[in-house]
Amino acid sequence: MGSSTRTLKIGIIGFGTFAQFLAKTMIKQGHLIRATSRSDYSGFPGVHFFRDMEEFMGLEHDVILICTSIVSVSQVVKSIPFHRLKKPLLFADVLSVKEHPRQLLLQEVPHDSDLVCTHPMFGPESGKDGWKDLPFMYEKVRVKDETLCSSFLAIFENEGCKMLEMSCEEHDRLAAQSQFLTHTIGRVLSEMEIWNTPIDTKGFEKLIQVKESSTRDSFDLYSGLFIHNRFAKQQLHNLESALERVKETLEARINNN
Amino acid sequence: MGSSTRTLKIGIIGFGTFAQFLAKTMIKQGHLIRATSRSDYSGFPGVHFFRDMEEFMGLEHDVILICTSIVSVSQVVKSIPFHRLKKPLLFADVLSVKEHPRQLLLQEVPHDSDLVCTHPMFGPESGKDGWKDLPFMYEKVRVKDETLCSSFLAIFENEGCKMLEMSCEEHDRLAAQSQFLTHTIGRVLSEMEIWNTPIDTKGFEKLIQVKESSTRDSFDLYSGLFIHNRFAKQQLHNLESALERVKETLEARINNN
Ligand SMILES: NC(=O)c1ccc[n+]([C@@H]2O[C@H](COP(=O)([O-])OP(=O)(O)OC[C@H]3O[C@@H](n4cnc5c(N)ncnc54)[C@H](OP(=O)(O)O)[C@@H]3O)[C@@H](O)[C@H]2O)c1
Ligand SMILES: NC(=O)c1ccc[n+]([C@@H]2O[C@H](COP(=O)([O-])OP(=O)(O)OC[C@H]3O[C@@H](n4cnc5c(N)ncnc54)[C@H](OP(=O)(O)O)[C@@H]3O)[C@@H](O)[C@H]2O)c1
């Protein structure tokens, strides 16, 4: 293992649900976690929280991890006081869309710092019993310090994640037809106000689970999957027209009866 | 237990996938199974198959179990030579809609025979590891011989099914928002041609399972769920308008950005 188990100083920007979930495992692995966020999370166990972004950026970090919502990331990153940085380091993000933060970070992050875009394909619910075999996608967008980047990725590797190196574009293409579609169906089921019945089939029980896990995530997250993944609109359209075709087939069947 | 473990002579009409699945457990329990069907299933292990409906109806039966497709049941039941029956007996059905066969059987079955409408809420896939805790819905539509009816229901009770006595109307109301909806989403996903990706979330894996199990059933079954459940049309409409509302919420979010 060597350097891959090195202790890292990780600074987290955006310390909501998902960041807190990640932080617990990072702390367990022995890393030093500092965080800043719009809201006040002082007192979160094991984390040194800074209300002041200037002060936070002036600390010595190995990695700065962006964990804000998709829809706020542009505003958040553009307001980071990069000039306060003590030394070049690794910037990473965990947003559920990837082309958008990739482009933004390439634009905003100082050129002497490295960049890795990642998406852990799990959350506080699906990852509550550990991260073993859960997919972790990443693209090394700009990496000069391979050792540092490996040490960061090792956080997920050491927990047993299925590590997938993939371009941000490929991620967004696949995630539009898997994750965005799943969230959309979950939100639709929630709109329909469907509930368990005494005569649920196994299949329906699965839909109820999809509904519950989709609506556990924020609407910011869901709308981010749509607004900032350029492949999502097409999938929404595909869903609508597939439903239309299924309906037409049923109606044709009635008329032939 | 007593009479409830009595050996029954069960005559099955419609010996397709689901009837064959049920027959295996009935044979294991020691019941005597005869069957007739449109297609020839002679040689099915443990079952005495009759190509000729007249001959089949002339046998001595305790129970006649209707297992044809929803869309063919009316034609099939109307062509049964009831005059060949040796004695009054119990008619039962397992169709996935319930008001339709209830009404049909009340009309067609001789008045001295009993009637129980049932729906085992599982199939060859979800019930492949046994029927324990799987829901079994039934309505005793017209039962004079309680002992005979109990003996028939005991087939499912003895396997550990969750026995649910419920009116056919209530069943159809609930099944439209659970089973029909699940099949519709499964068929829509199949129309969209979605497949596993390397970055599947747990939720998306559940949708893939819903797609696969829905399309394993015949299109006759699916269209029957729609055509012969009077609550299904409303659910299809609810699904469409819920999707429309989710889409509008996303679009409103874009415009506010
Ligand atoms: N939840 C998951 O399962 C999961 C899985 C993989 C990746 N992700 C990604 O992880 C990130 C965080 O997700 P989440 O589940 O915690 O919920 P989220 O609603 O996507 O994001 C919440 C975070 O964004 C911050 N934020 C929101 N609006 C802001 C604004 N206008 N200005 C500054 N900060 C703002 C919040 O800060 P405050 O809390 O300080 O208000 C909080 O830290 C997202 O990019 C998401 O796509 C989530
Ligand atoms: N599959 C399940 O998981 C499940 C679960 C619960 C209840 N059910 C119910 O069980 C019944 C059978 O289901 P299934 O899965 O076997 O498939 P299905 O496609 O619904 O029905 C197939 C059966 O219908 C017969 N049939 C179809 N068209 C016919 C016609 N025009 N004339 C005469 N017979 C005709 C077939 O006879 P041949 O095979 O001889 O052609 C076969 O026995 C259905 O009512 C279904 O709703 C199914």
Side-chain angles (χ1 to χ4, degrees), chain A residues 13-19 37-41 67-72 75-76 94-97 119-124 179 217-218 220-221 225:
Chain A
I13 299 181
F15 201 60
T17 322
F18 189 60
S37 205
R38 179 181 55 175
S39 313
D40 185 5
Y41 295 106
C67 296
T68 46
S69 67
I70 299 165
V71 288
S72 72
Q75 177 210 318
V76 169
V94 295
L95 273 63
S96 308
V97 298
H119 186 198
M121 308 295 305
F122 49 91
Q179 190 179 27
D217 285 328
S218 69
D220 268 0
L221 197 161
L225 295 181

mmCIF file of all heavy atoms in Angstrom, chain A residues 13-19 37-41 67-72 75-76 94-97 119-124 179 217-218 220-221 225, ligand 1:
data_model
loop_
_atom_site.group_PDB
_atom_site.id
_atom_site.type_symbol
_atom_site.label_atom_id
_atom_site.label_comp_id
_atom_site.label_asym_id
_atom_site.label_seq_id
_atom_site.Cartn_x
_atom_site.Cartn_y
_atom_site.Cartn_z
ATOM 1 N N ILE A 13 -15.742 21.470 1.225
ATOM 2 C CA ILE A 13 -16.601 22.652 1.006
ATOM 3 C C ILE A 13 -18.013 22.166 0.708
ATOM 4 O O ILE A 13 -18.236 21.453 -0.282
ATOM 5 C CB ILE A 13 -16.068 23.519 -0.153
ATOM 6 C CG1 ILE A 13 -14.657 24.022 0.187
ATOM 7 C CG2 ILE A 13 -17.015 24.696 -0.429
ATOM 8 C CD1 ILE A 13 -14.028 24.917 -0.883
ATOM 9 N N GLY A 14 -18.956 22.532 1.573
ATOM 10 C CA GLY A 14 -20.349 22.053 1.455
ATOM 11 C C GLY A 14 -20.507 20.849 2.350
ATOM 12 O O GLY A 14 -20.194 19.731 1.952
ATOM 13 N N PHE A 15 -21.002 21.077 3.589
ATOM 14 C CA PHE A 15 -20.982 19.975 4.549
ATOM 15 C C PHE A 15 -22.402 19.477 4.878
ATOM 16 O O PHE A 15 -22.785 19.315 6.026
ATOM 17 C CB PHE A 15 -20.232 20.413 5.820
ATOM 18 C CG PHE A 15 -19.722 19.252 6.636
ATOM 19 C CD1 PHE A 15 -18.819 18.342 6.093
ATOM 20 C CD2 PHE A 15 -20.154 19.049 7.942
ATOM 21 C CE1 PHE A 15 -18.353 17.263 6.836
ATOM 22 C CE2 PHE A 15 -19.697 17.973 8.695
ATOM 23 C CZ PHE A 15 -18.800 17.083 8.136
ATOM 24 N N GLY A 16 -23.189 19.220 3.816
ATOM 25 C CA GLY A 16 -24.554 18.692 3.989
ATOM 26 C C GLY A 16 -24.544 17.180 4.202
ATOM 27 O O GLY A 16 -23.514 16.586 4.531
ATOM 28 N N THR A 17 -25.702 16.575 3.977
ATOM 29 C CA THR A 17 -25.909 15.137 4.234
ATOM 30 C C THR A 17 -24.796 14.261 3.667
ATOM 31 O O THR A 17 -24.247 13.409 4.362
ATOM 32 C CB THR A 17 -27.225 14.659 3.559
ATOM 33 O OG1 THR A 17 -28.192 15.692 3.693
ATOM 34 C CG2 THR A 17 -27.722 13.377 4.154
ATOM 35 N N PHE A 18 -24.498 14.445 2.377
ATOM 36 C CA PHE A 18 -23.585 13.511 1.737
ATOM 37 C C PHE A 18 -22.151 13.701 2.229
ATOM 38 O O PHE A 18 -21.426 12.720 2.462
ATOM 39 C CB PHE A 18 -23.657 13.635 0.210
ATOM 40 C CG PHE A 18 -22.892 12.553 -0.496
ATOM 41 C CD1 PHE A 18 -23.225 11.214 -0.300
ATOM 42 C CD2 PHE A 18 -21.826 12.861 -1.331
ATOM 43 C CE1 PHE A 18 -22.520 10.199 -0.942
ATOM 44 C CE2 PHE A 18 -21.120 11.855 -1.976
ATOM 45 C CZ PHE A 18 -21.457 10.524 -1.784
ATOM 46 N N ALA A 19 -21.734 14.951 2.408
ATOM 47 C CA ALA A 19 -20.391 15.226 2.911
ATOM 48 C C ALA A 19 -20.211 14.623 4.312
ATOM 49 O O ALA A 19 -19.166 14.035 4.625
ATOM 50 C CB ALA A 19 -20.145 16.732 2.945
ATOM 51 N N SER A 37 -19.115 25.507 5.173
ATOM 52 C CA SER A 37 -20.398 25.358 4.489
ATOM 53 C C SER A 37 -21.215 26.624 4.673
ATOM 54 O O SER A 37 -20.891 27.465 5.511
ATOM 55 C CB SER A 37 -21.147 24.151 5.067
ATOM 56 O OG SER A 37 -22.065 23.624 4.138
ATOM 57 N N ARG A 38 -22.276 26.759 3.890
ATOM 58 C CA ARG A 38 -23.175 27.881 4.036
ATOM 59 C C ARG A 38 -23.798 27.883 5.441
ATOM 60 O O ARG A 38 -23.795 28.882 6.143
ATOM 61 C CB ARG A 38 -24.275 27.768 2.966
ATOM 62 C CG ARG A 38 -25.303 28.856 2.991
ATOM 63 C CD ARG A 38 -26.355 28.621 1.909
ATOM 64 N NE ARG A 38 -26.982 27.288 2.030
ATOM 65 C CZ ARG A 38 -28.005 26.870 1.276
ATOM 66 N NH1 ARG A 38 -28.491 27.656 0.327
ATOM 67 N NH2 ARG A 38 -28.519 25.668 1.432
ATOM 68 N N SER A 39 -24.319 26.719 5.850
ATOM 69 C CA SER A 39 -24.897 26.592 7.193
ATOM 70 C C SER A 39 -23.807 26.259 8.204
ATOM 71 O O SER A 39 -22.693 25.897 7.835
ATOM 72 C CB SER A 39 -25.951 25.487 7.219
ATOM 73 O OG SER A 39 -26.822 25.613 6.128
ATOM 74 N N ASP A 40 -24.141 26.387 9.483
ATOM 75 C CA ASP A 40 -23.162 26.145 10.558
ATOM 76 C C ASP A 40 -23.225 24.695 11.029
ATOM 77 O O ASP A 40 -24.249 24.249 11.540
ATOM 78 C CB ASP A 40 -23.489 27.087 11.736
ATOM 79 C CG ASP A 40 -22.432 26.984 12.837
ATOM 80 O OD1 ASP A 40 -21.421 26.265 12.636
ATOM 81 O OD2 ASP A 40 -22.622 27.615 13.887
ATOM 82 N N TYR A 41 -22.143 23.964 10.832
ATOM 83 C CA TYR A 41 -22.083 22.584 11.301
ATOM 84 C C TYR A 41 -21.022 22.425 12.390
ATOM 85 O O TYR A 41 -20.467 21.337 12.556
ATOM 86 C CB TYR A 41 -21.803 21.630 10.138
ATOM 87 C CG TYR A 41 -22.922 21.585 9.109
ATOM 88 C CD1 TYR A 41 -22.789 22.198 7.863
ATOM 89 C CD2 TYR A 41 -24.120 20.923 9.393
ATOM 90 C CE1 TYR A 41 -23.815 22.160 6.928
ATOM 91 C CE2 TYR A 41 -25.153 20.875 8.461
ATOM 92 C CZ TYR A 41 -24.994 21.498 7.235
ATOM 93 O OH TYR A 41 -26.014 21.453 6.312
ATOM 94 N N CYS A 67 -18.361 19.363 -2.131
ATOM 95 C CA CYS A 67 -19.547 18.528 -1.866
ATOM 96 C C CYS A 67 -20.835 19.347 -1.867
ATOM 97 O O CYS A 67 -21.835 18.942 -1.273
ATOM 98 C CB CYS A 67 -19.432 17.824 -0.518
ATOM 99 S SG CYS A 67 -18.072 16.662 -0.413
ATOM 100 N N THR A 68 -20.831 20.508 -2.503
ATOM 101 C CA THR A 68 -22.066 21.308 -2.541
ATOM 102 C C THR A 68 -23.051 20.720 -3.539
ATOM 103 O O THR A 68 -22.712 19.836 -4.312
ATOM 104 C CB THR A 68 -21.764 22.764 -2.981
ATOM 105 O OG1 THR A 68 -20.904 22.698 -4.106
ATOM 106 C CG2 THR A 68 -21.118 23.539 -1.883
ATOM 107 N N SER A 69 -24.252 21.260 -3.532
ATOM 108 C CA SER A 69 -25.276 20.797 -4.464
ATOM 109 C C SER A 69 -24.861 21.160 -5.887
ATOM 110 O O SER A 69 -24.093 22.104 -6.111
ATOM 111 C CB SER A 69 -26.620 21.439 -4.129
ATOM 112 O OG SER A 69 -26.569 22.827 -4.365
ATOM 113 N N ILE A 70 -25.395 20.410 -6.838
ATOM 114 C CA ILE A 70 -25.078 20.635 -8.248
ATOM 115 C C ILE A 70 -25.489 22.049 -8.661
ATOM 116 O O ILE A 70 -24.737 22.747 -9.334
ATOM 117 C CB ILE A 70 -25.810 19.593 -9.132
ATOM 118 C CG1 ILE A 70 -25.353 18.176 -8.772
ATOM 119 C CG2 ILE A 70 -25.606 19.879 -10.611
ATOM 120 C CD1 ILE A 70 -26.250 17.067 -9.306
ATOM 121 N N VAL A 71 -26.684 22.446 -8.238
ATOM 122 C CA VAL A 71 -27.203 23.735 -8.704
ATOM 123 C C VAL A 71 -26.493 24.940 -8.087
ATOM 124 O O VAL A 71 -26.575 26.041 -8.614
ATOM 125 C CB VAL A 71 -28.742 23.852 -8.503
ATOM 126 C CG1 VAL A 71 -29.471 22.947 -9.500
ATOM 127 C CG2 VAL A 71 -29.158 23.528 -7.074
ATOM 128 N N SER A 72 -25.770 24.727 -6.969
ATOM 129 C CA SER A 72 -25.072 25.866 -6.357
ATOM 130 C C SER A 72 -23.578 25.861 -6.641
ATOM 131 O O SER A 72 -22.871 26.810 -6.289
ATOM 132 C CB SER A 72 -25.298 25.884 -4.839
ATOM 133 O OG SER A 72 -24.586 24.836 -4.213
ATOM 134 N N GLN A 75 -21.750 29.012 -8.361
ATOM 135 C CA GLN A 75 -21.660 30.162 -7.462
ATOM 136 C C GLN A 75 -20.663 29.911 -6.325
ATOM 137 O O GLN A 75 -19.832 30.780 -6.002
ATOM 138 C CB GLN A 75 -23.065 30.423 -6.908
ATOM 139 C CG GLN A 75 -23.180 31.532 -5.911
ATOM 140 C CD GLN A 75 -24.337 31.239 -4.924
ATOM 141 O OE1 GLN A 75 -25.408 30.784 -5.328
ATOM 142 N NE2 GLN A 75 -24.091 31.478 -3.636
ATOM 143 N N VAL A 76 -20.693 28.732 -5.749
ATOM 144 C CA VAL A 76 -19.799 28.410 -4.624
ATOM 145 C C VAL A 76 -18.332 28.430 -5.071
ATOM 146 O O VAL A 76 -17.487 29.079 -4.447
ATOM 147 C CB VAL A 76 -20.162 27.036 -3.983
ATOM 148 C CG1 VAL A 76 -19.081 26.593 -3.009
ATOM 149 C CG2 VAL A 76 -21.524 27.105 -3.291
ATOM 150 N N VAL A 94 -17.524 15.514 -5.777
ATOM 151 C CA VAL A 94 -18.327 14.280 -5.734
ATOM 152 C C VAL A 94 -19.721 14.508 -6.328
ATOM 153 O O VAL A 94 -20.653 13.757 -6.037
ATOM 154 C CB VAL A 94 -18.489 13.764 -4.282
ATOM 155 C CG1 VAL A 94 -17.151 13.347 -3.700
ATOM 156 C CG2 VAL A 94 -19.169 14.816 -3.402
ATOM 157 N N LEU A 95 -19.868 15.514 -7.164
ATOM 158 C CA LEU A 95 -21.202 15.824 -7.689
ATOM 159 C C LEU A 95 -21.759 14.681 -8.555
ATOM 160 O O LEU A 95 -21.011 13.988 -9.238
ATOM 161 C CB LEU A 95 -21.168 17.120 -8.513
ATOM 162 C CG LEU A 95 -21.363 18.423 -7.718
ATOM 163 C CD1 LEU A 95 -20.238 18.637 -6.719
ATOM 164 C CD2 LEU A 95 -21.509 19.618 -8.650
ATOM 165 N N SER A 96 -23.072 14.553 -8.550
ATOM 166 C CA SER A 96 -23.739 13.461 -9.279
ATOM 167 C C SER A 96 -23.845 13.715 -10.776
ATOM 168 O O SER A 96 -24.361 12.876 -11.509
ATOM 169 C CB SER A 96 -25.129 13.201 -8.698
ATOM 170 O OG SER A 96 -25.049 13.020 -7.310
ATOM 171 N N VAL A 97 -23.417 14.885 -11.231
ATOM 172 C CA VAL A 97 -23.193 15.086 -12.670
ATOM 173 C C VAL A 97 -21.710 15.402 -12.799
ATOM 174 O O VAL A 97 -21.087 15.869 -11.835
ATOM 175 C CB VAL A 97 -24.032 16.246 -13.266
ATOM 176 C CG1 VAL A 97 -25.524 15.956 -13.129
ATOM 177 C CG2 VAL A 97 -23.673 17.565 -12.603
ATOM 178 N N HIS A 119 -17.498 10.409 -8.758
ATOM 179 C CA HIS A 119 -18.889 10.213 -8.334
ATOM 180 C C HIS A 119 -19.032 8.871 -7.611
ATOM 181 O O HIS A 119 -19.040 7.822 -8.256
ATOM 182 C CB HIS A 119 -19.842 10.264 -9.542
ATOM 183 C CG HIS A 119 -21.282 10.210 -9.135
ATOM 184 N ND1 HIS A 119 -22.304 9.888 -9.994
ATOM 185 C CD2 HIS A 119 -21.888 10.431 -7.926
ATOM 186 C CE1 HIS A 119 -23.454 9.917 -9.348
ATOM 187 N NE2 HIS A 119 -23.225 10.240 -8.102
ATOM 188 N N PRO A 120 -19.137 8.950 -6.287
ATOM 189 C CA PRO A 120 -19.457 7.719 -5.549
ATOM 190 C C PRO A 120 -20.927 7.394 -5.848
ATOM 191 O O PRO A 120 -21.796 8.216 -5.560
ATOM 192 C CB PRO A 120 -19.273 8.121 -4.076
ATOM 193 C CG PRO A 120 -18.624 9.496 -4.101
ATOM 194 C CD PRO A 120 -19.006 10.113 -5.397
ATOM 195 N N MET A 121 -21.195 6.234 -6.449
ATOM 196 C CA MET A 121 -22.558 5.920 -6.920
ATOM 197 C C MET A 121 -23.408 5.301 -5.800
ATOM 198 O O MET A 121 -24.078 4.285 -5.987
ATOM 199 C CB MET A 121 -22.505 4.941 -8.102
ATOM 200 C CG MET A 121 -21.607 5.342 -9.249
ATOM 201 S SD MET A 121 -22.137 6.833 -10.134
ATOM 202 C CE MET A 121 -23.804 6.423 -10.594
ATOM 203 N N PHE A 122 -23.353 5.933 -4.629
ATOM 204 C CA PHE A 122 -24.119 5.422 -3.491
ATOM 205 C C PHE A 122 -24.301 6.571 -2.515
ATOM 206 O O PHE A 122 -23.694 7.634 -2.674
ATOM 207 C CB PHE A 122 -23.396 4.251 -2.816
ATOM 208 C CG PHE A 122 -21.949 4.514 -2.503
ATOM 209 C CD1 PHE A 122 -21.570 5.049 -1.266
ATOM 210 C CD2 PHE A 122 -20.953 4.244 -3.433
ATOM 211 C CE1 PHE A 122 -20.230 5.306 -0.980
ATOM 212 C CE2 PHE A 122 -19.613 4.508 -3.151
ATOM 213 C CZ PHE A 122 -19.252 5.039 -1.920
ATOM 214 N N GLY A 123 -25.150 6.355 -1.524
ATOM 215 C CA GLY A 123 -25.431 7.420 -0.573
ATOM 216 C C GLY A 123 -25.617 6.858 0.825
ATOM 217 O O GLY A 123 -25.349 5.677 1.063
ATOM 218 N N PRO A 124 -26.081 7.721 1.728
ATOM 219 C CA PRO A 124 -26.224 7.327 3.133
ATOM 220 C C PRO A 124 -27.100 6.079 3.305
ATOM 221 O O PRO A 124 -26.907 5.323 4.245
ATOM 222 C CB PRO A 124 -26.917 8.543 3.763
ATOM 223 C CG PRO A 124 -26.578 9.689 2.875
ATOM 224 C CD PRO A 124 -26.465 9.120 1.498
ATOM 225 N N GLN A 179 -29.315 6.660 -13.315
ATOM 226 C CA GLN A 179 -29.660 7.387 -12.098
ATOM 227 C C GLN A 179 -30.764 8.435 -12.285
ATOM 228 O O GLN A 179 -31.705 8.503 -11.500
ATOM 229 C CB GLN A 179 -28.406 8.057 -11.531
ATOM 230 C CG GLN A 179 -28.646 8.626 -10.145
ATOM 231 C CD GLN A 179 -27.412 9.269 -9.570
ATOM 232 O OE1 GLN A 179 -26.534 9.741 -10.283
ATOM 233 N NE2 GLN A 179 -27.325 9.289 -8.254
ATOM 234 N N ASP A 217 -33.453 12.024 -1.143
ATOM 235 C CA ASP A 217 -32.500 13.041 -1.631
ATOM 236 C C ASP A 217 -33.224 14.367 -1.844
ATOM 237 O O ASP A 217 -34.426 14.399 -2.072
ATOM 238 C CB ASP A 217 -31.859 12.578 -2.944
ATOM 239 C CG ASP A 217 -30.815 11.492 -2.716
ATOM 240 O OD1 ASP A 217 -30.158 11.510 -1.654
ATOM 241 O OD2 ASP A 217 -30.659 10.623 -3.595
ATOM 242 N N SER A 218 -32.460 15.456 -1.798
ATOM 243 C CA SER A 218 -33.064 16.787 -1.933
ATOM 244 C C SER A 218 -33.574 17.024 -3.360
ATOM 245 O O SER A 218 -33.105 16.388 -4.307
ATOM 246 C CB SER A 218 -32.031 17.859 -1.585
ATOM 247 O OG SER A 218 -31.021 17.901 -2.579
ATOM 248 N N ASP A 220 -33.011 19.750 -4.878
ATOM 249 C CA ASP A 220 -31.818 20.334 -5.500
ATOM 250 C C ASP A 220 -31.013 19.269 -6.234
ATOM 251 O O ASP A 220 -30.556 19.479 -7.367
ATOM 252 C CB ASP A 220 -30.899 20.947 -4.425
ATOM 253 C CG ASP A 220 -31.209 22.418 -4.189
ATOM 254 O OD1 ASP A 220 -32.128 22.955 -4.851
ATOM 255 O OD2 ASP A 220 -30.540 23.031 -3.330
ATOM 256 N N LEU A 221 -30.814 18.150 -5.560
ATOM 257 C CA LEU A 221 -30.019 17.085 -6.184
ATOM 258 C C LEU A 221 -30.725 16.611 -7.453
ATOM 259 O O LEU A 221 -30.120 16.575 -8.538
ATOM 260 C CB LEU A 221 -29.819 15.934 -5.195
ATOM 261 C CG LEU A 221 -28.698 14.941 -5.528
ATOM 262 C CD1 LEU A 221 -28.287 14.142 -4.285
ATOM 263 C CD2 LEU A 221 -29.044 13.990 -6.643
ATOM 264 N N LEU A 225 -29.528 16.881 -11.490
ATOM 265 C CA LEU A 225 -29.324 15.752 -12.415
ATOM 266 C C LEU A 225 -29.905 16.079 -13.785
ATOM 267 O O LEU A 225 -29.423 15.605 -14.808
ATOM 268 C CB LEU A 225 -30.023 14.483 -11.892
ATOM 269 C CG LEU A 225 -29.536 13.854 -10.585
ATOM 270 C CD1 LEU A 225 -30.345 12.593 -10.278
ATOM 271 C CD2 LEU A 225 -28.049 13.523 -10.654
HETATM 272 N N1 LIG C 1 -26.915 12.096 -1.399
HETATM 273 C C1 LIG C 1 -26.278 11.209 -2.111
HETATM 274 O O1 LIG C 1 -26.606 10.040 -2.004
HETATM 275 C C2 LIG C 1 -25.151 11.610 -3.045
HETATM 276 C C3 LIG C 1 -24.397 10.601 -3.653
HETATM 277 C C4 LIG C 1 -23.341 10.945 -4.497
HETATM 278 C C5 LIG C 1 -23.079 12.267 -4.751
HETATM 279 N N2 LIG C 1 -23.863 13.242 -4.173
HETATM 280 C C6 LIG C 1 -23.549 14.646 -4.461
HETATM 281 O O2 LIG C 1 -23.074 15.223 -3.274
HETATM 282 C C7 LIG C 1 -23.426 16.620 -3.206
HETATM 283 C C8 LIG C 1 -24.173 16.888 -1.888
HETATM 284 O O3 LIG C 1 -25.361 16.150 -1.886
HETATM 285 P P1 LIG C 1 -26.386 16.134 -0.644
HETATM 286 O O4 LIG C 1 -27.082 14.815 -0.670
HETATM 287 O O5 LIG C 1 -25.686 16.494 0.584
HETATM 288 O O6 LIG C 1 -27.525 17.210 -0.966
HETATM 289 P P2 LIG C 1 -27.594 18.472 -1.992
HETATM 290 O O7 LIG C 1 -28.896 19.087 -1.738
HETATM 291 O O8 LIG C 1 -27.305 18.018 -3.373
HETATM 292 O O9 LIG C 1 -26.440 19.430 -1.510
HETATM 293 C C9 LIG C 1 -26.418 19.980 -0.230
HETATM 294 C C10 LIG C 1 -25.154 20.765 -0.037
HETATM 295 O O10 LIG C 1 -25.114 21.903 -0.913
HETATM 296 C C11 LIG C 1 -24.933 23.094 -0.153
HETATM 297 N N3 LIG C 1 -25.649 24.198 -0.776
HETATM 298 C C12 LIG C 1 -26.875 24.164 -1.335
HETATM 299 N N4 LIG C 1 -27.205 25.371 -1.841
HETATM 300 C C13 LIG C 1 -26.176 26.209 -1.586
HETATM 301 C C14 LIG C 1 -25.931 27.576 -1.847
HETATM 302 N N5 LIG C 1 -26.822 28.329 -2.510
HETATM 303 N N6 LIG C 1 -24.761 28.089 -1.446
HETATM 304 C C15 LIG C 1 -23.858 27.322 -0.794
HETATM 305 N N7 LIG C 1 -24.033 26.035 -0.510
HETATM 306 C C16 LIG C 1 -25.183 25.476 -0.903
HETATM 307 C C17 LIG C 1 -25.478 22.760 1.215
HETATM 308 O O11 LIG C 1 -24.902 23.597 2.154
HETATM 309 P P3 LIG C 1 -25.516 23.807 3.632
HETATM 310 O O12 LIG C 1 -25.837 22.405 4.130
HETATM 311 O O13 LIG C 1 -24.422 24.441 4.367
HETATM 312 O O14 LIG C 1 -26.753 24.629 3.493
HETATM 313 C C18 LIG C 1 -25.027 21.316 1.369
HETATM 314 O O15 LIG C 1 -23.694 21.243 1.760
HETATM 315 C C19 LIG C 1 -24.279 16.900 -4.430
HETATM 316 O O16 LIG C 1 -23.500 17.482 -5.429
HETATM 317 C C20 LIG C 1 -24.734 15.514 -4.862
HETATM 318 O O17 LIG C 1 -24.988 15.452 -6.242
HETATM 319 C C21 LIG C 1 -24.867 12.939 -3.319
#
